Amino acid sequence: MIRHVFSVLCQRLLVDPATGVFSLVDCVERILLPPVNVEPGKTLLVPVGMRILSLWTRDPPDAPSAARARLSLQTPTGATLPGGEIELAFAEHRNARTDTALQFHPFTGPGRYWHVIELQQTGGEWQEVTRLPLDLDFMPMTPSSPPPA
């Protein structure tokens, strides 16, 4: 069986090639965007340069295991946007990392977006293992700020 250990939104991942030890740099909870008008029902892609790093392990540690993981996005309105799926196969190693690059992020308006990670064991149903919040908000307007375009 494969188990989800943790997932984090961050901007950079540093890995020591000699030891495999990794460091998460600039963990992200909120991004402030310049004010912009978003037409109802429209989705903009905003540049974010983030990653979602997940750590997975197998239990028991010496039993080969396989599963599928998938990522989706829930918008502030509750709409779900599909993401990608990957195969997790553990034949030799006890742990594995998945590193998903997000160069752009869908934006339907300000609010909390949930990055939902699900796991499907071989022959099983999809189960949510975690959800990562990301608040996308507008920068505060200053007296000299122009109105949204």
Side-chain angles (χ1 to χ4, degrees):
M1 171 184 289
I2 294 178
R3 295 187 187 274
H4 174 260
V5 179
F6 67 80
S7 292
V8 177
L9 279 166
C10 64
Q11 288 191 316
R12 291 187 301 144
L13 169 67
L14 304 176
V15 181
D16 182 326
T19 64
V21 172
F22 61 93
S23 298
L24 304 172
V25 181
D26 297 331
C27 294
V28 181
E29 300 173 346
R30 181 179 187 210
I31 297 176
L32 294 176
L33 303 170
V36 62
N37 285 328
V38 181
E39 294 179 36
K42 297 289 183 181
T43 301
L44 300 178
L45 291 177
V46 296
V48 292
M50 296 185 319
R51 339 181 68 80
I52 297 177
L53 177 83
S54 297
L55 180 65
W56 307 87
T57 191
R58 60 181 172 165
D59 185 27
D62 56 350
S65 299
R68 294 192 61 73
R70 73 178 172 194
L71 174 67
S72 61
L73 179 70
Q74 189 177 60
T75 69
T77 63
T80 299
L81 305 177
E85 289 185 21
I86 61 166
E87 184 74 28
L88 300 171
F90 291 73
E92 298 174 25
H93 303 287
R94 292 181 173 191
N95 298 318
R97 291 185 297 262
T98 55
D99 180 16
T100 306
L102 302 173
Q103 296 305 315
F104 296 91
H105 196 284
F107 181 74
T108 57
R112 177 160 285 181
Y113 291 76
W114 290 98
H115 296 84
V116 180
I117 299 175
E118 297 173 283
L119 182 67
Q120 181 186 43
Q121 303 288 347
T122 303
E125 298 292 320
W126 286 101
Q127 295 183 348
E128 183 176 316
V129 293
T130 195
R131 51 180 45 222
L132 307 172
L134 177 65
D135 294 324
L136 295 178
D137 295 311
F138 292 132
M139 291 179 203
M141 296 284 288
T142 62
S144 61
S145 295

